[in-house]
Amino acid sequence: MTLVSNDPNRWHIINADRIGSYVIVAASVGVFYDSALTFAQEVELVWRQRWSLMTVLYLSLRHIGIVYAVINILVFRHFRRQICVVILCTWR
């Protein structure tokens, strides 16, 4: 169900949701861009070296950021829209 509100009192909520979506996408693009630029160096300097606890921590933290960005775009976008619809519906 699509909810469109023409009430000017609710426009700030819709704009805040839209701007929040833009920020999430921009941050995710930054994470993907950084990963793409440094992937060759990561393979050469980290993956081909002797593995240690620090290597595992580095790789897990680095790739958790990528996983988080994907989840944030795909899953949380749906929940954020549902929350916005609930907020708009309760203000009627």
Side-chain angles (χ1 to χ4, degrees):
M1 177 178 133
T2 303
L3 178 65
V4 178
S5 174
N6 289 329
D7 184 9
N9 295 327
R10 298 180 187 164
W11 289 349
H12 69 282
I13 296 172
I14 296 169
N15 286 333
D17 184 54
R18 190 182 70 212
I19 290 170
S21 296
Y22 292 160
V23 169
I24 289 171
V25 170
S28 300
V29 167
V31 168
F32 293 134
Y33 185 69
D34 176 62
S35 298
L37 285 181
T38 59
F39 183 72
Q41 291 177 340
E42 179 182 328
V43 168
E44 179 183 335
L45 298 174
V46 178
W47 290 10
R48 293 186 179 165
Q49 302 299 321
R50 187 175 67 96
W51 283 65
S52 67
L53 176 63
M54 293 309 292
T55 306
V56 172
L57 287 174
Y58 171 78
L59 289 174
S60 61
L61 287 176
R62 179 161 171 83
H63 295 290
I64 282 175
I66 296 170
V67 170
Y68 177 75
V70 169
I71 290 172
N72 202 6
I73 288 175
L74 297 177
V75 176
F76 294 145
R77 178 184 61 136
H78 175 71
F79 291 129
R80 201 171 44 252
R81 295 206 189 283
Q82 292 297 329
I83 291 170
C84 186
V85 167
V86 168
I87 289 172
L88 290 175
C89 289
T90 58
W91 283 1
R92 286 184 178 177

